[in-house]
Amino acid sequence: MAEQGGPEDQKPQSDEARSAFVPPPGVEQPTIPSEDDHPTSEFALPAGLHTDPSASSGSGPVSASGPGSGGPGSDTLTSAFVPPSGYSVQHQPPAFTPAHGIPMVRLTKEAPWQDRMRTMLRMPVTERPAPESVQRTDDSGPAVPRVLDLTLRIGELLLAGGEGAEDVEAAMFAVTRSYGLDRSEPTVTFTLLSISYQPSLVDDPVTASRTVRRRGTDYTRLAAVFRLIDDITTTEHVEVSLEEAYRRLAEIRRNRHPYPGWVLTAAAGLLAGSASVLVGGGVLVFLVAAAGAMLGDRLAWLCAGRGLPEFYQFMAAAMPPAAMGIALTLTHSTDVRPSAVITGGLFALLPGRALVAGVQDGLTGYYITAGARLLEVMYFFIGIVAGVLLMLYLGVQLGAELNPEARFVPNDRPVLQILASMALTLAFAILLQQERSTVLAVTLNGGVAWVIYGAMAREGGFSPVAATAVAAGLVGLFGQLFSRYRYTSSLPYITAAIGPLLPGSATYFGLLGVAQNEVDTGLTSLFTAVATALAIAIGVNLGSEISRLFMRVPGAVGGASRRAAKRTRGF
């Protein structure tokens, strides 16, 4: 405001220099008290406005002209801080925050870190509890870039080993919180890992990412990573510094596979031979199927050594078992079932691990990763189809009589089939490079799955798809219980156990129908194979979720349930 003075001090000013708030010359200047003597606040009520309801007459609005002037014809002003008329303390409306407050979330140390971190991820950010740093850092705080890099390297090993996206995010979140980085958000897709950390609401976030370029199956390495995460997150009496974590991670990467190459080839043969026994084969069928699978495995290794993509590796591995079956057909041997030989070879190739992981990611809301995994399964399956169809077309041209009606499986040898299912699971566990301590448990789990399937589908008359779903559900249930008991991943106890349930025979007869120009019959059988595969994946996931219903889940005081994503009901 312009300085006040006499008329002789006021000089003509231009329109640009005159303020719109300065009274023009000749108008009496108002007297404004100094702010130093009478300080004001923007939250102060204006003069003449009373906040005491008793100052006004009755229960009407507060008068702006002082006490005693609240007549019916007076102008009234109200304040936002004054309760409205008709308000009663006894009948106050419910507030957003309840009287007892919001329950505080306490993550108990007794629960596995997977459940605790999954609870955190499914919780709104505003309700997450403060981090309890397990690992000590220096006075300057944790080295943010190194912690993020360590977290990404751990997540890379888990994702490359076949873990689901939600479990990978839970592991990354657990590592960052253990080193004191509470404002971190991990993101996982099929080939890309990223994590962002924001020190405070006013600081710039720090973001790092890592690309997963190569995936391999080694459940021994996966179990070692889980032990490292468990030591970092839950073991307070064991100090795991960043240097120690990097050293252990480097040892995990350098460790050799527990089984040499010739053992893996023999396991592939055992898997195919056991699968041929499940579908009615004898001793000769077992030997021929095992030989075809081992030849296909060596051929796939040769293609991998030449740098060919996995599509061509699966195509090459599917050709020798199919060629073996066609060769037996051309010999006109009545004691040998060629369909069992080809089916056994398909059991060793069907990508059950990738299928289960893809459906699990879809059911938990990670749709991008689920779509990528299922697309990978489709390419693998197309490669298998191309290899088998090429051999079947060649056999039809050579006059091989492949009988699509020979799909029946005798029911008079249940003990032999149970033993074959356990041998198949054992071979599958070796191919997955599992630890020797987990092989027995997963073998028993696979035998139980086949017993349930046989009792429902063959003795009880249930649909094979429904029986497969129930058996896979029990596999997932027992696998989760085993993993919680051992504080490790559930994949080593689940993936190999679903081997006997894979739709090898339905896939073969579907391809045979297509090769013999019976497209309708072939497509029907292929649809059955797809339905069976989805039943396996959904059953495994459902069994895993059911197992968590019987566990103590870390959450809010008072028994709050584990939170999941809210669905939109289709709109």
Side-chain angles (χ1 to χ4, degrees):
M1 183 175 294
E3 184 179 357
Q4 299 178 11
E8 64 278 7
D9 296 333
Q10 297 179 358
K11 298 180 181 179
Q13 298 179 355
S14 61
D15 295 338
E16 290 79 3
R18 182 179 300 112
S19 172
F21 301 96
V22 177
V27 178
E28 183 181 357
Q29 303 294 329
T31 302
I32 300 177
S34 175
E35 293 186 359
D36 297 335
D37 299 334
H38 302 279
T40 59
S41 171
E42 59 181 349
F43 299 100
L45 299 178
L49 182 63
H50 299 277
T51 60
D52 187 5
S54 61
S56 60
S57 58
S59 60
V62 180
S63 174
S65 56
S69 61
S74 61
D75 297 333
T76 59
L77 295 175
T78 59
S79 171
F81 301 97
V82 179
S85 59
Y87 174 81
S88 175
V89 178
Q90 289 78 9
H91 303 87
Q92 59 180 339
F96 177 77
T97 303
H100 53 78
I102 299 178
M104 183 178 64
V105 178
R106 296 176 180 174
L107 300 180
T108 59
K109 294 296 184 181
E110 291 77 11
W113 65 264
Q114 298 99 312
D115 291 336
R116 290 188 287 113
M117 293 303 108
R118 187 179 290 109
T119 303
M120 293 288 296
L121 289 175
R122 296 182 178 185
M123 187 184 304
V125 179
T126 56
E127 299 182 14
R128 291 177 181 175
E132 299 177 3
S133 299
V134 177
Q135 305 301 327
R136 295 191 299 270
T137 58
D138 54 13
D139 296 336
S140 61
V144 175
R146 297 197 66 192
V147 172
L148 297 185
D149 179 72
L150 174 67
T151 303
L152 289 174
R153 292 178 182 273
I154 291 176
E156 178 189 7
L157 287 180
L158 294 178
L159 188 63
E163 277 289 345
E166 186 179 30
D167 294 328
V168 176
E169 283 194 1
M172 296 172 64
F173 196 72
V175 173
T176 54
R177 284 180 62 88
S178 298
Y179 285 105
L181 306 184
D182 57 326
R183 296 178 178 270
S184 60
E185 289 296 334
T187 303
V188 176
T189 58
F190 185 54
T191 58
L192 181 64
L193 298 169
S194 64
I195 186 168
S196 178
Y197 168 69
Q198 189 173 12
S200 66
L201 295 177
V202 297
D203 293 330
D204 295 332
V206 180
T207 303
S209 62
R210 193 173 183 87
T211 303
V212 180
R213 302 188 183 277
R214 186 177 180 181
R215 292 178 298 276
T217 304
D218 190 342
Y219 282 178
T220 300
R221 178 180 297 174
L222 192 69
V225 176
F226 265 76
R227 284 193 292 269
L228 173 60
I229 300 173
D230 186 68
D231 291 341
I232 292 175
T233 57
T234 60
T235 310
E236 297 182 358
H237 61 278
V238 177
E239 182 180 357
V240 183
S241 62
L242 286 175
E243 290 74 14
E244 177 68 16
Y246 269 107
R247 185 191 64 79
R248 292 179 57 178
L249 197 62
E251 290 182 354
I252 293 173
R253 287 180 174 273
R254 288 195 300 264
N255 282 346
R256 299 178 61 87
H257 299 307
Y259 307 103
W262 66 270
V263 174
L264 299 180
T265 301
L270 177 61
L271 193 156
S274 303
S276 65
V277 174
L278 286 180
V279 294
V283 178
L284 182 58
V285 170
F286 177 90
L287 296 176
V288 174
M294 288 189 291
L295 182 59
D297 181 75
R298 288 292 92 189
L299 189 59
W301 277 100
L302 180 62
C303 294
R306 295 297 183 271
L308 293 178
E310 287 183 299
F311 176 86
Y312 300 104
Q313 297 176 27
F314 274 85
M315 182 177 175
M319 295 172 66
M324 290 282 189
I326 293 173
L328 289 178
T329 303
L330 294 176
T331 60
H332 302 285
S333 177
T334 58
D335 298 333
V336 179
R337 296 184 59 205
S339 61
V341 176
I342 302 176
T343 300
L346 290 177
F347 266 89
L349 297 175
L350 292 178
R353 174 183 59 87
L355 176 66
V356 171
V359 175
Q360 179 182 0
D361 287 339
L363 293 176
T364 52
Y366 295 84
Y367 301 113
I368 296 178
T369 307
R373 289 186 189 271
L374 294 179
L375 185 62
E376 181 189 40
V377 171
M378 185 189 72
Y379 272 104
F380 291 165
F381 187 76
I382 292 176
I384 298 171
V385 168
V388 175
L389 277 180
L390 184 61
M391 292 293 100
L392 290 180
Y393 277 125
L394 181 61
V396 171
Q397 296 299 323
L398 295 177
E401 297 179 357
L402 299 171
N403 184 11
E405 301 298 331
R407 65 179 64 195
F408 100 161
V409 179
N411 299 325
D412 55 350
R413 47 179 192 176
V415 177
L416 179 61
Q417 289 187 342
I418 293 175
L419 295 178
S421 66
M422 296 177 67
L424 188 153
T425 306
L426 173 64
F428 206 167
I430 294 176
L431 288 175
L432 294 174
Q433 302 281 359
Q434 291 192 196
E435 290 182 309
R436 292 177 173 86
S437 59
T438 64
V439 171
L440 178 60
V442 72
T443 301
L444 295 176
N445 202 10
V448 172
W450 182 257
V451 169
I452 298 299
Y453 171 79
M456 294 184 62
R458 300 181 181 179
E459 300 296 334
F462 288 89
S463 169
V465 176
T468 301
V470 174
L474 290 178
V475 167
L477 176 63
F478 293 150
Q480 284 290 336
L481 296 178
F482 280 134
S483 67
R484 292 305 186 266
Y485 177 73
R486 297 290 299 272
Y487 286 88
T488 184
S489 172
S490 62
L491 290 181
Y493 301 97
I494 292 178
T495 306
I498 65 174
L501 305 176
L502 293 175
S505 58
T507 303
Y508 163 69
F509 287 112
L511 299 179
L512 180 59
V514 174
Q516 294 182 341
N517 292 327
E518 298 178 0
V519 180
D520 295 339
T521 304
L523 291 179
T524 301
S525 186
L526 287 177
F527 286 149
T528 303
V530 172
T532 304
L534 292 178
I536 293 174
I538 296 175
V540 168
N541 182 265
L542 183 60
S544 301
E545 294 295 331
I546 291 176
S547 66
R548 297 190 180 102
L549 297 178
F550 304 100
M551 300 176 183
R552 182 181 178 183
V553 178
V557 178
S561 60
R562 181 172 59 97
R563 302 191 181 191
K566 293 183 179 180
R567 302 307 175 194
T568 58
R569 299 181 183 271
F571 53 81

